[in-house]
């Protein structure tokens, strides 16, 4: 670990905390339909869109109707992507003449992008046409992020409203999220990325004459001479911007934000990191403002910062120490090199930026990577996995992070109530049996999917074990990470294995689908129930949700729930691998 | 429900066209007006022939060039097929591969800088660390019949410092360094 590394990490968090308040205040204006500077341009667009799509913007929806609208919309967008993938060979913007995507992979990918997961069981540059990337995939980066935003705002309204039956209008929330938040920021961000060298074109792939031709020995033992290099192109910057801002994470290229055309400079990397946390950090402030208790927003944000720091520290520390099994290799941090574990990392990012990126992308449900998590040290790789297993509530995905966190807030308040023996209250609302049941349902669906699918895969040797790239405990980690990433709608991977098989395509698709939609329903049910409640005046016995004590309790509840659920399986994967590596055991 | 279905279909089609075609086409148009070279991948041309991209690494393995990092993208540095090794820390395949690279790169004196024997995340890493370049100076200088000091200066001149003095790590673009090396050798 170096001073410069820590300085970069500190500057990053300082900027996030500085941007949280303006971003959060702006989001409040947008979703309370108050005046903003962009209204003269966007107001007419908004009204036109409502007219064309037959939306009645002043109609309020109950939680169940809100959920139905969201599900129907998700289904329609999923279908569009599936159709575009299946027909891409016959459609324009396909200069490489890529074939139609086969059904299992097309379904997996359609679900993956609809659920904001962006799990990719394919190599994009050899599978997806430019049209599929733009119209089939990048659109979902807007839509699924806007859906997340809408759901989070609906939940916050549930907390804020008194004796009401409705949570807002899904179509209005969706539209305002796209037009006022995601599209304008992406527009500016995309051009900033181009200025750093992120490409944006519709050229066929370029062929380059190598400066030094190479003699390559193939797997069959035959030698061939390679004289050219093929360079993939495409409309990358426009997709890259919303990929990060919407915490989607689906790369235009196979190696995502490690690819020099997606993330060419340390500054583009820094901007990408900022854009992952920008909206989630703002939403915590929005929460405080909309429920009329700004300090509550900061208390929630504080818990996020604590957990973010713990993860970053652990990963940075672990990756700074090289792999003890590599001999006669210089892994010291010097002025002329970053040192550490450089397998699967890029020189321009070094250790600090790779560790920070891995932590941030899994704190949020982004899933973009600028280094290969599969090649991290055992403990360094355990942090990204643990971040997802905790529910991606550390800042979290756009919207999804906040509503996930609020479910934990309900649990924290409930446990605080049990400790003092009174009916728990949250911002004046009594938390009752129904709310806690729904919160528990939300919290239980998650491990059930992850552990269930992982166990089936491990126990049935014919299903998916042949796909694994690594053996021993690391193989278990690969399977566990895959179902964790899918269920958590993250999309990053221990990417060595061949995930493009029928078993993984279908089972991971189910995990992504249930991991998103099955968890949204109980969450909205809580919101709908909370909205109908009366406000109980605060008394001496009310547990305040604006204090450091609350932050500590919330952090503890998150960690205890996570540890109780997942420690056993983590001890068989990364923990065991760490001990075996120290003992010099290879697989 | 019926209403929502109609709205969902119309909404998907209309916003799909705006976000999926209008937005990327607008960005492309602006990018090509303002920054055409960057939008097209910063291709380097020598004598009318494209010899590479300033951002994409190329393989160099001969003794007379500065070596780039090991790559598992396709057959190596295949920029139509980016990939990391994704081998875990306890993988015997990984440790064997690193051992072989160490044997190939070692100058006999000091341990090899770690980036020179490990595969990058993209398989297209254009850079090596200054440590890895300096480590190779003696071998390249001997092969090219140049003094070590000349190449040390060349390496120092090609270091890209941290961006804004803070971000990232100091690095050397291997393709740029080797093209400069060729020019230097030709100029003598």
């Amino acid at each position: 670990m170096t001073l410069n590394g820590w300085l970069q990490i500190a500057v990053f968090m300082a900027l996030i905390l500085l941007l949280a308040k303006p971003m959060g205040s702006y989001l409040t204006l947008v979703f309370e339909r108050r005046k903003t500077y962009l209204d003269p341009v966007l107001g007419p667009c908004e009204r036109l869109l409502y007219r064309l799509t037959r939306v009645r913007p002043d109609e309020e929806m109950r939680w169940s109707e809100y959920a139905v609208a969201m599900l129907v919309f998700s289904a329609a967008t999923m279908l569009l992507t599936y159709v575009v993938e299946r027909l891409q060979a016959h459609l324009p913007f396909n200069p490489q003449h890529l074939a139609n995507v086969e059904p299992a992979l097309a379904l997996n990918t359609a679900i993956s992008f609809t659920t904001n997961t962006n799990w990719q069981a394919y190599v994009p540059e050899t599978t997806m046409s430019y049209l599929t990337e733009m119209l089939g995939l990048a659109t979902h980066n807007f839509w699924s992020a806007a859906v997340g935003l809408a759901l989070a705002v609906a939940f916050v309204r549930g907390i804020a409203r008194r004796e009401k039956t409705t949570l807002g209008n899904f179509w209005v929330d969706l539209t305002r999220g796209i037009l006022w938040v995601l599209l304008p920021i992406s527009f500016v961000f995309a051009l900033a990325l181009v200025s750093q060298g992120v490409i944006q074109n519709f050229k066929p792939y370029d062929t380059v004459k190598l400066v030094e031709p190479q003699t390559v020995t193939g797997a069959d033992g035959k030698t061939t001479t390679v004289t050219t290099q093929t360079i993939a192109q495409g409309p990358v910057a426009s997709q890259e911007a919303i990929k990060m801002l919407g915490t989607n994470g689906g790369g235009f290229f196979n190696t995502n934000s490690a690819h020099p055309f997606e993330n060419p400079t340390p500054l583009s990397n820094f901007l990408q990191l900022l854009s992952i946390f920008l909206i989630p950090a703002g939403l915590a402030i929005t929460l405080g403002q909309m429920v009329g208790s700004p300090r509550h927003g900061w208390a929630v944000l504080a818990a996020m910062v604590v957990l973010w720091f713990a993860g970053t520290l652990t990963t940075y520390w672990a990756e700074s120490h090289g792999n003890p099994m590599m001999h006669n290799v210089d892994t010291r941090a010097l002025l002329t090199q970053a040192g550490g574990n450089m397998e699967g990392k890029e020189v321009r990012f070094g250790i600090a930026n790779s560790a920070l990126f891995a932590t941030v992308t899994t704190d949020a449900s982004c899933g973009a990577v600028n280094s290969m998590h599969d090649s991290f040290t055992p403990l360094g790789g355990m942090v990204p996995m643990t971040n997802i297993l905790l529910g991606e509530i550390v800042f979290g995905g756009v919207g999804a992070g906040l509503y996930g966190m609020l479910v934990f807030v309900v649990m924290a308040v409930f446990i605080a109530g049990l400790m003092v023996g009174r009916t728990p209250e949250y911002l004046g609302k009594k938390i009752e049996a129904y709310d806690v049941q729904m919160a528990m349902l939300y919290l239980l669906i998650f491990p059930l999917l992850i552990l269930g699918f992982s166990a089936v895969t491990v126990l049935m040797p014919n299903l998916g074990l042949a796909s694994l790239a690594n053996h021993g405990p690391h193989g278990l980690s690969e399977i566990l990470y895959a179902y964790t990433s899918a269920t958590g709608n993250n999309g990053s991977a221990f990417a060595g294995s061949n995930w493009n098989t029928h078993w993984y395509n279908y089972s991971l698709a189910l995990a992504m689908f249930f991991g998103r939609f099955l968890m949204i329903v109980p969450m909205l049910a809580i919101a709908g129930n909370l909205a109908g409640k009366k406000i109980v005046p605060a008394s001496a016995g009310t547990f305040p949700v604006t204090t450091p004590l609350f932050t500590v309790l919330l952090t503890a509840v998150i960690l205890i729930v996570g540890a109780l659920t997942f420690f056993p399986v983590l001890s068989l994967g990364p923990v065991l691998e760490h001990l075996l590596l120290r003992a010099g055991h290879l697989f | 429900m019926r209403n929502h279905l109609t709205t969902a279909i119309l909404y998907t089609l209309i916003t799909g066209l705006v976000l999926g075609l209008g937005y990327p086409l607008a960005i492309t148009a602006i990018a090509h007006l303002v920054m055409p070279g960057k939008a097209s991948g910063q291709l380097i041309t020598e004598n009318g022939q494209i010899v590479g991209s300033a951002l994409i690494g190329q393989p160099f393995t001969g003794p007379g060039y500065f070596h780039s990092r090991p790559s598992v993208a396709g057959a190596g540095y295949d920029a139509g097929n980016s990939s990391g090794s994704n081998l875990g820390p306890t993988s015997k395949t990984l440790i064997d591969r690193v051992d072989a690279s160490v044997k190939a790169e070692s100058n006999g004196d000091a341990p090899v800088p770690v980036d020179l024997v490990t595969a990058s995340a993209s398989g297209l890493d254009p850079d090596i660390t200054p440590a890895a370049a300096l480590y190779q100076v003696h071998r390249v200088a001997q092969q090219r019949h140049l003094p070590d000091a000349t190449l040390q200066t060349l390496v120092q001149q090609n270091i890209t410092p941290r961006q804004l003095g803070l971000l990232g790590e100091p690095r050397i673009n291997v393709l740029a360094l080797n093209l400069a090396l060729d020019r230097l050798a030709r100029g003598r």
Side-chain angles (χ1 to χ4, degrees), chain A residues 57 280 553 561:
Chain A
L553 184 76
V561 169

Side-chain angles (χ1 to χ4, degrees), chain A residues 486-507:
Chain A
T487 310
N489 296 155
N490 185 277
S492 66
F494 274 15
S497 304
N498 172 23
W499 305 115
N500 188 13
T501 67
H502 275 82
W503 165 249
Y504 284 118
N505 274 335
Y506 288 125
S507 65

Side-chain angles (χ1 to χ4, degrees), chain A residues 79-417:
Chain A
L79 186 67
L80 174 77
T81 297
Y82 184 80
V83 170
V84 173
E85 286 181 89
R86 298 285 292 129
L87 296 178
Q88 69 173 12
H90 312 294
L91 297 171
F93 295 113
N94 186 6
Q96 295 309 115
H97 307 290
L98 297 168
N100 293 330
V101 183
E102 60 97 8
L105 181 60
L107 178 75
N108 179 286
T109 307
I111 291 181
S112 165
F113 278 72
T114 307
T115 55
N116 198 275
T117 311
N118 292 213
W119 173 266
Q120 295 170 292
Y122 55 90
V123 174
E125 49 265 54
T126 57
T127 315
M128 299 297 177
S129 76
Y130 295 164
L131 186 79
T132 308
E133 292 279 4
M134 293 190 297
L135 184 61
L137 306 181
T139 44
H140 276 290
N141 291 357
F142 285 99
W143 289 328
S144 64
V147 166
L149 262 177
L151 291 168
V153 170
F155 198 128
V156 173
R157 287 199 194 105
I159 300 165
R161 290 183 171 180
R162 303 163 182 200
E163 298 168 68
K164 286 251 175 67
T165 53
T166 58
L167 295 176
N169 183 311
F170 171 73
W171 300 109
V172 172
D173 292 337
L174 183 73
T175 304
R176 295 190 69 88
I178 293 173
L179 288 183
W180 265 261
V181 184
L182 300 175
L183 191 54
I185 302 179
S186 295
F187 208 94
V188 177
F189 185 26
L191 293 172
L193 288 173
V194 177
S195 82
Q196 291 302 301
V198 179
I199 57 171
Q200 178 76 17
N201 61 60
F202 294 101
K203 290 193 291 184
Y205 297 177
D206 280 304
T207 304
V208 159
K209 188 171 168 294
L210 287 180
V211 173
E212 186 194 51
Q214 300 290 313
T215 308
V216 181
T217 310
D220 51 0
K222 280 187 194 145
T223 55
T224 45
T225 306
V226 180
T227 56
T228 57
Q229 178 185 42
T230 304
I231 298 187
Q233 299 284 350
V236 180
S238 54
Q239 183 159 343
E240 192 69 17
I242 186 60
K243 161 194 142 190
M244 309 308 292
L245 186 69
T247 63
N248 297 281
F252 196 97
F253 297 116
N254 188 36
T255 53
N256 212 299
S257 282
H259 194 295
F261 277 168
E262 281 200 29
N263 194 1
T265 67
L267 182 59
S268 66
N269 188 64
F270 191 74
L271 292 174
Q272 294 193 6
L273 280 165
L274 283 180
S275 63
I276 299 178
F277 271 3
L278 178 66
I279 294 177
L283 272 174
I285 303 304
T286 308
L287 162 73
Q289 289 177 348
M290 285 179 75
V291 301
S293 172
R295 288 177 57 200
H296 175 54
W298 287 106
V300 170
L301 193 62
M304 294 174 171
V305 174
V306 168
L307 290 166
W308 162 82
F309 181 76
T312 305
L313 175 67
T314 311
T315 320
Y316 190 18
W317 169 81
E319 294 308 299
S320 294
H321 297 270
N323 184 330
M325 295 304 288
M326 294 183 188
H327 300 297
N328 203 20
V329 170
D330 188 357
T331 56
R332 293 169 301 163
L334 305 167
L335 284 175
T336 51
Q337 69 164 19
N341 172 27
M342 283 300 287
E343 180 70 21
K345 294 191 182 66
E346 302 277 301
V347 167
R348 62 193 180 284
F349 306 137
I351 301 297
N353 278 300
S354 301
L356 178 62
F357 203 109
T359 312
V360 166
T361 195
T362 50
D363 278 340
S365 76
C366 183
V369 294
N370 77 349
S371 55
M372 293 301 130
H373 297 180
D374 213 350
S375 296
F376 274 31
T377 60
L379 296 183
M382 186 170 78
V383 170
M385 186 152 33
T386 307
N387 281 337
I388 311 175
L389 289 171
L390 292 180
E392 291 168 323
I393 36 62
V394 185
F395 294 89
V398 167
L402 184 70
Y403 66 67
M405 189 58 139
L406 287 172
V407 172
F408 273 105
V409 169
V410 168
M411 286 312 295
V413 171
F414 172 65
I415 287 169

Side-chain angles (χ1 to χ4, degrees), chain A residues 4 7-8 11 49 52-56 61 65 68-69 72-73 76-77 80 93 123 125-126 131 134-135 139 142-143 171 174-175 178 183 186-187 190-191 194-203 206 208-212 214 216 229-233 238 241 253-255 258-261 264-267 270 323 325-331 335-340 342-350 353 370-372 374-378 470 474 495-496 577 581 585-587, chain B residues 1 3-21 23-28 30-32 35 38-43 49-53 55-65 69 75 77-95 97-99 102 106 110-115 117-132 134 162-172 175 178-179 182:
Chain A
N4 171 272
L7 207 59
Q8 296 190 54
V11 168
L49 184 59
L52 292 175
T53 56
R54 304 183 197 172
V55 170
R56 282 183 291 256
M61 299 178 185
E65 191 187 356
V68 166
V72 173
F73 175 63
T77 55
L80 174 77
F93 295 113
V123 174
E125 49 265 54
T126 57
L131 186 79
M134 293 190 297
L135 184 61
T139 44
F142 285 99
W143 289 328
W171 300 109
L174 183 73
T175 304
I178 293 173
L183 191 54
S186 295
F187 208 94
L191 293 172
V194 177
S195 82
Q196 291 302 301
V198 179
I199 57 171
Q200 178 76 17
N201 61 60
F202 294 101
K203 290 193 291 184
D206 280 304
V208 159
K209 188 171 168 294
L210 287 180
V211 173
E212 186 194 51
Q214 300 290 313
V216 181
Q229 178 185 42
T230 304
I231 298 187
Q233 299 284 350
S238 54
F253 297 116
N254 188 36
T255 53
H259 194 295
F261 277 168
T265 67
L267 182 59
F270 191 74
N323 184 330
M325 295 304 288
M326 294 183 188
H327 300 297
N328 203 20
V329 170
D330 188 357
T331 56
L335 284 175
T336 51
Q337 69 164 19
M342 283 300 287
E343 180 70 21
K345 294 191 182 66
E346 302 277 301
V347 167
R348 62 193 180 284
F349 306 137
N353 278 300
N370 77 349
S371 55
M372 293 301 130
D374 213 350
S375 296
F376 274 31
T377 60
N470 290 279
H474 199 83
E577 190 189 17
L581 181 63
H585 201 100
L586 297 179
F587 294 91
Chain B
M1 176 76 197
N3 293 344
H4 287 311
L5 192 60
T6 316
T7 299
I9 292 167
L10 290 170
Y11 202 102
T12 302
L13 294 175
I14 293 168
T15 58
L17 289 177
V18 173
L19 302 171
L21 287 175
Y23 160 71
L25 289 171
I27 297 287
T28 310
I30 299 173
H32 279 265
M35 303 167 273
K38 285 184 168 160
S40 310
Q42 301 179 43
L43 301 175
Q49 172 84 49
I50 302 175
V51 295
S53 158
L55 294 178
I56 303 287
Q58 275 186 22
F60 287 100
T61 50
Y65 281 114
R69 302 180 63 189
Y77 286 92
D78 180 354
N81 210 345
S82 63
S83 179
S85 77
N86 284 309
L87 293 171
T90 48
S91 158
K92 191 167 182 319
T93 317
L94 170 70
I95 301 300
R97 198 203 70 211
V98 170
D99 281 345
V102 167
S106 177
V112 188
V114 62
D115 62 300
V117 294
T118 45
S120 64
S122 61
L124 307 173
D125 195 340
D127 303 314
I128 53 176
T129 59
L134 291 169
R162 290 198 169 97
Q163 211 168 359
L164 311 175
L166 173 75
L167 299 176
E169 303 292 340
R171 60 199 196 275
I172 292 177
L175 178 60
N178 281 327
L179 288 174
D182 274 348

